[in-house]
Amino acid sequence: MAKTKQEKLDAKKEKEYYKKHKKTFKTKPGDVVFNIFNYTFFILFTITCIFPFYYLFINTISDNDLVRKGAINFIPRGLHLTNYISMLQAGEISQAFLVSISRTILGTVLMVAASAFVGYLVTKQEMWHRKFWYRFLVITMYFNAGLIPWYLNMAMLGLTNTFWAYIIPGIVAPYNIILVKTYIESIPAELEESAFMDGASYMTIFRKIIWPLSKPILATIFIFGAVGHWNSFTDSLILMQGAPEYYTLQHRLYMYLNQASNISAIANSGQISDTVASSMMNSKVIKYTISMVTIIPILIVYPFMNRYFEKGIMLGAVKG
Amino acid sequence: MNEKKTGKERLADKIYYLNRIGILLSIVLMFFPGVNPARVCGYINKNMSLLTSGMSYNGLIEECGRAFRQGWLSESSFQLLFAASLITCIGIALTAVCGCMSLGNLKMKRTGNWFSIAGSAAEIAGLSMIYIAYTQIAATERPEKVEPQLHTVGFLLFMIAAVVVLITSLVIQILLPKAEKDMKYAMESKFKLFLMFLPFIALTFVFSYLPLWGWRYAFFDYQSGGTLSSENFVGFKWFTQLFQNEATRQDIVKVLRNTLAMSGIGIATSWLPMVFAIFLSEVKSPRLKRFVQTFTTIPNFISWVLVYAIAFAIFATDGFLSSLLMNMGVLDSGFNFLMPTDHMWLKMWAWGTWKGLGWSAIIYIAGISGIDQQLYEAATVDGAGRFQKMWHITVPGLIPTFMVLLLMSVAGVLSNGMDQYLVFETKNNIEWLNVLDLYVYKLGINNGAIPLSTVVGMTKSIISVVLLFLANGISKLVRGESIV
């Protein structure tokens, strides 16, 4: 579109204005010093955030003898992947990995589906005592009975030492429901009304209109929910005391970091089979490799979640 | 649709209340182990509720192995018991269906009633079978080992509920007129929506409200695996013990000191993310900005266990720092930098900051991009320097966000979470790391002092809620907006 006369005039004025105040907008020597310090700080801080991951990684793929001597600090040497392969063969670790993966996927999918559905339901003014039930749900964000009553409750429900203890309590997530509700309220009501006129049921409207349109927010809560599930550690520690087969990867890692400080202790503790232990040579490598196995899934999904950061955190500020 | 209701129908509507109360009562009771009628002998786990007895046969016979082998109990009576519990549970589920359908139109109500008649009849049959199983078990040769017992209160509660539901359903069915043949199933949309919501309300109730029932442990002298009864009711004994028992009091003082100190350090430095964001916005290259923002948020997404793994990899005896210093000849042998217990609070704060700084800054970065650019230009023309602009334009623009987060962190002053302290804790530094959440965990889960830890947790929860309301009140007063 061609610029109007007025716009051209404005642009010209602006140019003249900058010319006139050239001195004010010029870079001063003080700015250079400031920038050097500023850039240095941010680059250094960023390095402290990345380097540990890099360090762990190069130590798991380098020659295990060199690693034991502490010779691998910046550059990997003697590359190999046997540590990871041995790790997969260690029964406990692959079992824990499976538990973590399945709880993350199943738990998050159910949570997202429930949040979407409930988020839709609570936007419906005509629901019987809608306000009361919505508050009944939301108020649970602000109090909790405490760790011990929670544990006793789970025991009473017979959920301790079962896989479902990871899944069922997390299905209803009030905070995510609020996020979805806020989002759905921003969808033009006409869409839904016209579908309603055509005789669509609530379920049809939810499936055909609400679900597809609220995908951005659902992706956001999916990512955050999945990270939460993957990182969750105390529930495994407290609820699975009698069921080591349901320990999560985080829990296993915690045990390895704490328990065994030398190779024979690891082998003797029955945590890991002798062959695996001897093939990996030292406990340092074992610990680093499990750490890496636990971190890698996060690093894989990280680029995808990056774009949902601001959306998630800003929506959180607007609560209904 | 809008035809007038007859007197009979209105009476039926009233009876429905009684009917629904009976149904709801048996559903709720189904979850409580304390009133489980199926616990007919001492060999059944005290944590079994009627629902779990009806769902898992293995759970039911978990502790009976020896009794079966010795011939004190016959397995057939346990199979009968399991079947009876299952039938009772199915019966209750059927009455629940009726409870839902009773919100619909006449046809729906009538159909639903058949469900509840069948369901309550099944319940009564199931309960009778439980009684038969009990008489079988009571006929054992070794009653002192088996301890046969019928939970009278639970049994009667379920029985009364079932009978009430049966009678009311029958009466309603007689009172309600027959539905016309061409009538269709229908329900008002307000109830339809409510019923769709109901499963989630139930989940919320079970996992968020039901734990409050556990607060009663604070008033009993409870040992793990025991029961609560009027005999071990101790009133406020545990509350007073917190202050009277010398050892506990010292613990509490120490724990509170650590909690408040570490929360205090956190609150005192809560302006850091804002400063981080302001200075990051001074970075002119958008690519570097993006880079910094992307990578400083990574640590926020790893768990505290992984943070500890990283601490371990960098600072332990055979970690990065030691080997680097050894290679440089500064150290002769590896040194574990995690060992020294001085400045623990600051170290914990440093780890927290490393993990959270980049992430907490995002909300401020978003805030800065929302500030009108013309303000900066105008200030530049007026001769304002870089820092003056920061102080007079950026900071005031971010203060509202800062205040909300500050109030929230003041409200959460007692909750530092336990993950961080649990992973970093050793027997040397526990003195400085033991915060309230960790203390409750260790006391209750590790030491089995359930009543005392419930008291501590309960007090903490109540104070936290009060603090939250206070913070909210302040926010309303000052900003005219609530934060919760």
Side-chain angles (χ1 to χ4, degrees):
Chain A
M1 211 166 72
K3 279 184 181 174
T4 61
K5 230 178 187 177
Q6 184 60 39
E7 274 175 43
K8 268 186 196 163
L9 215 68
D10 282 349
K12 205 175 161 192
K13 256 189 191 166
E14 205 171 306
K15 242 184 197 166
E16 274 170 15
Y17 174 84
Y18 277 108
K19 229 180 199 172
K20 200 169 149 197
H21 297 278
K22 210 174 177 183
K23 246 187 183 167
T24 350
F25 287 105
K26 217 176 67 182
T27 327
K28 295 184 210 68
D31 287 347
V32 177
V33 177
F34 173 84
N35 278 336
I36 290 173
F37 275 109
N38 206 21
Y39 278 57
T40 317
F41 166 76
F42 280 112
I43 290 168
L44 281 181
F45 188 74
T46 309
I47 288 173
T48 64
C49 289
I50 311 172
F51 180 74
F53 300 99
Y54 173 74
Y55 176 76
L56 274 176
F57 182 62
I58 58 172
N59 270 284
T60 55
I61 57 166
S62 295
D63 187 75
N64 286 347
D65 265 337
L66 290 174
V67 171
R68 189 166 46 86
K69 285 183 204 141
I72 310 293
N73 282 331
F74 298 103
I75 300 153
R77 272 185 288 167
L79 300 187
H80 67 104
L81 285 174
T82 44
N83 289 334
Y84 287 94
I85 294 162
S86 315
M87 214 22 90
L88 286 178
Q89 286 160 355
E92 291 81 9
I93 298 299
S94 40
Q95 168 80 10
F97 193 82
L98 269 182
V99 170
S100 279
I101 285 280
S102 31
R103 79 168 281 189
T104 302
I105 293 174
L106 190 63
T108 317
V109 166
L110 286 178
M111 182 275 287
V112 170
S115 302
F117 188 56
V118 176
Y120 168 63
L121 287 181
V122 292
T123 58
K124 295 261 113 354
Q125 304 294 332
E126 61 264 36
M127 185 199 289
W128 185 64
H129 287 297
R130 183 194 76 104
K131 252 194 184 143
F132 173 80
W133 295 116
Y134 181 56
R135 285 199 187 130
F136 181 85
L137 200 73
V138 167
I139 213 166
T140 59
M141 287 201 305
Y142 302 113
F143 74 86
N144 70 69
L147 182 77
I148 305 299
W150 169 77
Y151 166 72
L152 292 170
N153 186 48
M154 296 295 267
M156 185 172 97
L157 296 170
L159 282 173
T160 41
N161 301 328
T162 63
F163 179 72
W164 297 106
Y166 292 138
I167 309 292
I168 302 173
I171 290 179
V172 179
Y175 184 71
N176 292 339
I177 290 172
I178 292 176
L179 290 186
V180 177
K181 171 184 175 265
T182 319
Y183 192 88
I184 291 176
E185 277 166 352
S186 72
I187 296 173
E190 291 80 21
L191 280 174
E192 208 184 309
E193 272 162 23
S194 62
F196 202 72
M197 292 293 167
D198 293 342
S201 70
Y202 290 116
M203 276 314 233
T204 320
I205 292 176
F206 173 68
R207 269 201 342 245
K208 295 270 166 67
I209 298 176
I210 302 296
W211 178 269
L213 283 179
S214 47
K215 267 187 185 150
I217 186 68
L218 297 183
T220 309
I221 64 171
F222 182 90
I223 293 281
F224 282 87
V227 171
H229 262 291
W230 181 259
N231 281 340
S232 170
F233 148 67
T234 36
D235 51 3
S236 172
L237 190 72
I238 295 169
L239 298 175
M240 302 297 157
Q241 290 173 47
E245 67 270 27
Y246 295 133
Y247 283 180
T248 58
L249 197 53
Q250 306 275 349
H251 189 177
R252 283 277 173 207
L253 174 64
Y254 173 70
M255 288 168 68
Y256 276 96
L257 291 174
N258 262 312
Q259 279 182 349
S261 51
N262 60 54
I263 192 83
S264 57
I266 288 187
N268 289 337
S269 68
Q271 291 286 320
I272 201 165
S273 64
D274 287 335
T275 47
V276 174
S278 56
S279 78
M280 295 178 79
M281 296 308 290
N282 62 70
S283 68
K284 185 175 163 184
V285 174
I286 296 182
K287 284 174 183 175
Y288 286 10
T289 312
I290 304 176
S291 307
M292 253 351 263
V293 170
T294 319
I295 293 173
I296 286 170
I298 296 271
L299 296 186
I300 290 174
V301 297
Y302 186 75
F304 299 101
M305 52 202 279
N306 209 352
R307 31 196 280 243
Y308 296 111
F309 280 176
E310 272 178 34
K311 194 177 282 151
I313 207 164
M314 290 320 286
L315 272 171
V318 200
K319 278 189 243 154
Chain B
M1 281 299 251
N2 284 331
E3 68 224 66
K4 266 205 172 159
K5 287 186 173 177
T6 62
K8 275 182 180 176
E9 276 180 275
R10 257 178 274 144
L11 182 61
D13 278 349
K14 284 196 183 107
I15 297 176
Y16 255 127
Y17 286 110
L18 196 59
N19 178 279
R20 287 181 197 133
I21 288 172
I23 294 171
L24 205 60
L25 183 72
S26 38
I27 294 174
V28 172
L29 288 179
M30 204 161 65
F31 287 99
F32 287 94
V35 291
N36 181 5
R39 204 175 75 224
V40 289
C41 76
Y43 278 111
I44 296 174
N45 193 322
K46 288 200 176 67
N47 277 328
M48 299 286 282
S49 60
L50 183 60
L51 185 68
T52 39
S53 330
M55 278 179 13
S56 134
Y57 180 63
N58 290 332
L60 208 56
I61 60 164
E62 205 178 10
E63 295 164 19
C64 300
R66 184 152 170 270
F68 286 154
R69 280 195 299 277
Q70 300 283 344
W72 298 336
L73 292 170
S74 80
E75 219 166 317
S76 66
S77 43
F78 266 80
Q79 280 156 1
L80 179 68
L81 187 63
F82 172 66
S85 316
L86 186 64
I87 290 173
T88 316
C89 289
I90 292 174
I92 292 175
L94 282 176
T95 58
V97 172
C98 155
C100 293
M101 290 177 82
S102 69
L103 296 171
N105 66 354
L106 188 60
K107 184 160 185 199
M108 217 168 215
K109 277 180 182 159
R110 284 192 69 95
T111 319
N113 260 322
W114 291 119
F115 277 108
S116 75
I117 290 166
S120 48
E123 256 182 88
I124 293 170
L127 287 167
S128 320
M129 280 161 73
I130 289 178
Y131 188 76
I132 295 169
Y134 162 69
T135 50
Q136 282 180 8
I137 287 165
T140 175
E141 303 150 20
R142 302 284 294 273
E144 75 281 2
K145 288 269 188 201
V146 177
E147 299 170 21
Q149 50 176 321
L150 187 65
H151 199 294
T152 339
V153 177
F155 191 83
L156 282 180
L157 271 174
F158 275 101
M159 201 50 137
I160 290 169
V163 170
V164 165
V165 173
L166 183 62
I167 292 172
T168 48
S169 304
L170 282 171
V171 170
I172 292 166
Q173 198 71 322
I174 292 163
L175 285 176
L176 286 179
K178 270 224 166 78
E180 285 149 41
K181 269 201 179 128
D182 54 346
M183 200 172 191
K184 284 202 178 106
Y185 289 112
M187 190 185 282
E188 281 178 76
S189 52
K190 61 174 184 178
F191 291 129
K192 231 191 257 173
L193 285 163
F194 171 68
L195 286 183
M196 287 193 261
F197 198 7
L198 190 60
F200 303 98
I201 293 173
L203 278 177
T204 313
F205 175 77
V206 167
F207 291 106
S208 298
Y209 288 87
L210 207 50
L212 293 175
W213 176 242
W215 278 7
R216 73 195 191 286
Y217 285 93
F219 305 99
F220 288 88
D221 189 1
Y222 172 79
Q223 300 289 326
S224 207
T227 46
L228 303 183
S229 65
S230 53
E231 283 153 41
N232 53 19
F233 179 80
V234 292
F236 286 92
K237 177 187 156 196
W238 299 108
F239 289 85
T240 49
Q241 184 174 343
L242 273 187
F243 306 102
Q244 280 168 359
N245 184 310
E246 187 64 30
T248 329
R249 193 173 60 205
Q250 277 176 358
D251 275 351
I252 290 285
V253 169
K254 220 180 277 171
V255 164
L256 274 180
R257 178 199 65 187
N258 293 337
T259 307
L260 294 177
M262 281 190 266
S263 295
I265 296 175
I267 290 169
T269 56
S270 56
W271 46 269
L272 265 177
M274 188 162 76
V275 173
F276 185 91
I278 293 174
F279 279 81
L280 185 60
S281 70
E282 292 293 326
V283 171
K284 287 290 170 295
S285 145
R287 207 181 267 171
L288 181 70
K289 216 186 217 168
R290 193 79 220 154
F291 179 81
V292 170
Q293 205 188 322
T294 305
F295 287 102
T296 52
T297 33
I298 287 186
N300 184 61
F301 291 96
I302 61 172
S303 64
W304 276 110
V305 184
L306 280 170
V307 173
Y308 180 65
I310 279 170
F312 189 85
I314 303 291
F315 294 111
T317 319
D318 51 2
F320 169 74
L321 198 56
S322 271
S323 48
L324 190 69
L325 290 177
M326 271 157 71
N327 291 350
M328 284 161 58
V330 182
L331 282 179
D332 294 332
S333 60
F335 180 71
N336 189 350
F337 292 92
L338 294 171
M339 274 293 267
T341 58
D342 49 337
H343 308 302
M344 269 334 276
W345 295 341
L346 283 178
K347 284 177 190 165
M348 286 302 110
W349 168 82
W351 282 112
T353 304
W354 177 75
K355 191 176 188 290
L357 184 60
W359 172 251
S360 327
I362 286 190
I363 191 160
Y364 294 112
I365 293 173
I368 290 173
S369 63
I371 296 176
D372 192 352
Q373 285 303 311
Q374 288 185 342
L375 287 175
Y376 290 102
E377 280 167 25
T380 316
V381 172
D382 290 346
R386 186 192 296 268
F387 293 102
Q388 279 172 313
K389 274 185 280 184
M390 280 182 199
W391 184 249
H392 293 289
I393 300 172
T394 321
V395 171
L398 297 178
I399 281 291
T401 315
F402 176 73
M403 289 312 286
V404 172
L405 295 178
L406 185 71
L407 279 172
M408 290 299 265
S409 59
V410 170
V413 73
L414 290 180
S415 322
N416 334 49
M418 66 174 239
D419 291 30
Q420 180 182 5
Y421 309 100
L422 183 69
V423 293
F424 276 99
E425 160 239 335
T426 63
K427 62 177 183 302
N428 295 322
N429 64 21
I430 184 77
E431 162 114 21
W432 304 100
L433 287 196
N434 210 357
V435 294
L436 258 175
D437 289 328
L438 186 61
Y439 179 70
V440 169
Y441 165 74
K442 293 197 158 252
L443 200 64
I445 306 284
N446 291 358
N447 301 348
I450 296 221
L452 195 60
S453 54
T454 308
V455 166
V456 179
M458 188 175 148
T459 318
K460 196 204 111 174
S461 299
I462 292 170
I463 294 178
S464 295
V465 169
V466 171
L467 279 176
L468 186 72
F469 277 110
L470 277 180
N472 196 34
I474 293 172
S475 168
K476 265 187 188 158
L477 210 69
V478 178
R479 302 170 50 240
E481 240 178 87
S482 67
I483 51 174
V484 293

